[in-house]
Amino acid sequence: MADKILEFVHTSTGKQIAAALGLPVPPQLKRAKAGYAEKALSNANALVGASAFGPVATAVVKALNAMGASIKVSADLAGLDGIKQAAVKAKLEVSISQADNGVPENVYVLDVTSAANVADLRLLYDFFNPRLRKVPSNSRIVVIGRPRGDCKDALAETAQSSLPGFIRSLAKESGKNGTTANLIQVKTGAENGIEGALRFFLSPHSAFVTGQVLPVVGAPKGVKVAAFSEKPLTGKLAVVTGAARGIGAAIAEVLAREGATVIGVDRPADESTLGATMSSLGGIACPLDITDADAGKKLAAVAASKGGKIDIIVHNAGITRDKMMRNMAAHLWDMVLDVNLGAIVRCNEQLLAGDAFGANARIVCISSIGGIAGNAGQTNYAATKSAVIGYVDAIAKQLEGKGISINAIAPGFIETQMTAAIPVVTREVARRLSSLSQGGLPVDIAEAVTFMASPLAVGVNGATLRVCGQNLVGA
Ligand SMILES: NC(=O)c1ccc[n+]([C@@H]2O[C@H](COP(=O)([O-])OP(=O)(O)OC[C@H]3O[C@@H](n4cnc5c(N)ncnc54)[C@H](O)[C@@H]3O)[C@@H](O)[C@H]2O)c1
């Protein structure tokens, strides 16, 4: 469903009316027009800093260099020594721009992993304060810190714990022009996962992701971190449930864009829509109700009939049956619990028991901010979406030893048939109550799912990433 206000305020008449009435103008987000490109930052002006020289500063310099960025360093900038040393030590030909060259930066990366006390946090101020007055629209800010439990003492943990609050606030300040700000929390030893996370957060593939914290914990057992390649899903077989329409169809499309062969699953009643969606992207239609007791076994058989194992499965199919708890019929509770949760658990169990996953398989589940914030009338739905977050966290530890990773994406307000059914006033409030003042599009979820399903997210496991424009509900 189209956001008419967003469209209108970007017409010439709309701009004049909005200015005259002092109305807020939601920014036009720059989304990816094509797949991941190796030199994605070749036109970017990147300001980079580090609290000290170390493995993270080195990983950042290498990653930005691999992305073709021109790294900006100058004597008046805080945090430059760690970066300079990293460039020298890594023997990298980093093109280093001179002091303020009049071109405002549109990429900011600050490594504060070595911030170990309150005084060290001054770097956040010194690095960002002089630079954030003229940030071009759709710029990207990433701060890199350490997760809880990773620091050498309580004071360092305390300093690192400041970062989620800092980044969430910066995201709220920056969102008005479509700029995003996110935090990567990299575990000691998992630094080789930084490049993939940066490729996502610094690109238009993450246009609707802001104010979020992504833990990078390290690759599962036996999984090597490969150098970036374009179309990273080439040769992969991907299953997407609920693929006939909405978010699922977009996920199938973006996975296919990155090279995957997609098996799209949807209810037999939606077979013709599913067939049309799959044929548009060269995928395979699999009409199947995911609550079928043998759904996992059937999916394994379909994959085997195509000569392969399942490299990626996206558990996207989901339903709402909203009623206040006091009025909810038992069958509505059972139905939502089974489609949104029971079917996922059963299916994964059957695929694992049948050895149906390929090496380094990646599982992505769809949660919802409803599962984080809760909604009146959605006790059934929110219970399932909250459980998905716990499920990926708990099961990741079991799957890690098998070389398989599992993560979740929690969409906020996304323009689909599901949200078109929301009453108009509630819908308008839900759209605007985010740092980007608009709802997301199905492609925004598809981009985040594709990141999680790809080698770019090799170090990410057991995580839930919200794709919600920093929706203030449940923030
Ligand atoms: N749209 C949003 O704003 C939003 C927000 C948060 C989370 N989500 C989640 O994203 C996912 C996709 O949502 P959407 O908005 O695209 O919904 P949608 O209703 O447009 O599409 C859901 C798809 O799942 C399929 N499906 C439902 N039950 C099935 C079953 N038993 N077996 C096979 N297929 C089945 C449907 O036929 C449909 O094609 C859901 O899990 C939803 O809970 C959506």
Side-chain angles (χ1 to χ4, degrees), residues 242 245 247 266-267 270 289-290 316 381 385 412 414 416 419:
R245 63 170 202 226
I247 292 172
D266 215 298
R267 289 179 290 212
D270 292 301
D289 190 318
I290 55 154
N316 162 76
Y381 181 78
K385 296 299 184 180
I414 305 297
T416 65
T419 47

Side-chain angles (χ1 to χ4, degrees), residues 80-439:
L80 71 101
D81 282 347
I83 290 299
K84 268 187 180 165
Q85 275 191 57
V88 172
K89 286 264 166 52
K91 296 195 174 75
L92 281 173
E93 290 205 16
V94 175
S95 118
I96 294 177
S97 311
Q98 281 316 300
D100 196 351
N101 56 10
V103 185
E105 299 87 12
N106 55 0
V107 167
Y108 302 78
V109 182
L110 181 63
D111 158 26
V112 276
T113 48
S114 65
N117 53 50
V118 179
D120 289 349
L121 297 177
R122 180 62 194 255
L123 177 60
L124 294 167
Y125 178 86
D126 291 341
F127 183 82
F128 285 112
N129 169 270
R131 296 287 159 166
L132 292 185
R133 291 195 188 109
K134 284 187 188 158
V135 177
S137 64
N138 287 278
S139 294
R140 293 286 180 270
I141 299 170
V142 170
V143 170
I144 307 177
R146 295 291 190 199
R148 292 295 295 273
D150 197 65
C151 300
K152 63 179 187 332
D153 57 39
L155 207 49
E157 291 271 325
T158 307
Q160 293 296 321
S161 301
S162 68
L163 301 178
F166 175 80
I167 209 73
R168 287 184 192 122
S169 301
L170 202 57
K172 285 180 183 175
E173 291 180 9
S174 323
K176 286 183 184 63
N177 76 351
T179 293
T180 66
N182 292 290
L183 171 66
I184 297 172
Q185 286 183 326
V186 61
K187 215 171 151 181
T188 302
E191 287 80 10
N192 56 7
I194 288 176
E195 179 177 331
L198 283 178
R199 281 190 181 273
F200 176 63
F201 280 133
L202 298 182
S203 72
H205 300 282
S206 59
F208 198 59
V209 186
T210 193
Q212 301 309 308
V213 180
L214 183 75
V216 173
V217 296
K221 196 175 165 206
V223 179
K224 290 217 169 68
V225 180
F228 174 80
S229 66
E230 290 183 0
K231 290 208 176 249
L233 301 184
T234 302
K236 303 283 185 198
L237 195 54
V239 172
V240 181
T241 70
R245 63 170 202 226
I247 292 172
I251 292 170
E253 202 175 308
V254 178
L255 290 172
R257 182 195 74 194
E258 298 297 341
T261 301
V262 178
I263 300 174
V265 180
D266 215 298
R267 289 179 290 212
D270 292 301
E271 187 168 357
S272 63
T273 326
L274 178 67
T277 307
M278 286 303 115
S279 66
S280 69
L281 49 92
I284 300 145
C286 174
L288 172 68
D289 190 318
I290 55 154
T291 61
D292 182 309
D294 291 324
K297 292 179 192 160
K298 289 178 180 170
L299 286 175
V302 175
S305 76
K306 300 295 162 197
K309 293 198 171 197
I310 296 172
D311 299 301
I312 296 162
I313 184 161
V314 184
H315 294 289
N316 162 76
I319 57 168
T320 50
R321 292 293 183 273
D322 299 353
K323 280 277 173 202
M324 299 298 262
M325 188 58 190
R326 57 183 175 271
N327 299 327
M328 190 182 296
H331 76 277
L332 297 184
W333 175 269
D334 292 341
M335 193 190 295
V336 171
L337 269 279
D338 202 32
V339 174
N340 294 3
L341 184 60
I344 299 175
V345 176
R346 256 191 329 269
C347 180
N348 286 344
E349 280 172 358
Q350 290 174 12
L351 293 174
L352 285 164
D355 199 21
F357 282 118
N360 313 344
R362 299 194 66 88
I363 305 171
V364 188
C365 301
I366 303 298
S367 173
S368 166
I369 57 164
I372 297 166
N375 270 326
Q378 289 201 317
T379 49
N380 49 0
Y381 181 78
T384 62
K385 296 299 184 180
S386 180
V388 161
I389 297 171
Y391 173 67
V392 301
D393 179 38
I395 207 90
K397 294 173 187 77
Q398 290 174 33
L399 297 184
E400 203 261 352
K402 298 179 196 294
I404 298 173
S405 46
I406 179 164
N407 293 288
I409 296 299
F413 181 96
I414 305 297
E415 307 282 354
T416 65
Q417 282 189 25
M418 201 183 248
T419 47
I422 298 173
V424 63
V425 175
T426 317
R427 188 169 66 226
E428 197 46 35
V429 170
R431 269 183 184 142
R432 305 298 160 220
L433 271 184
S434 81
S435 297
L436 299 173
S437 318
Q438 59 198 285

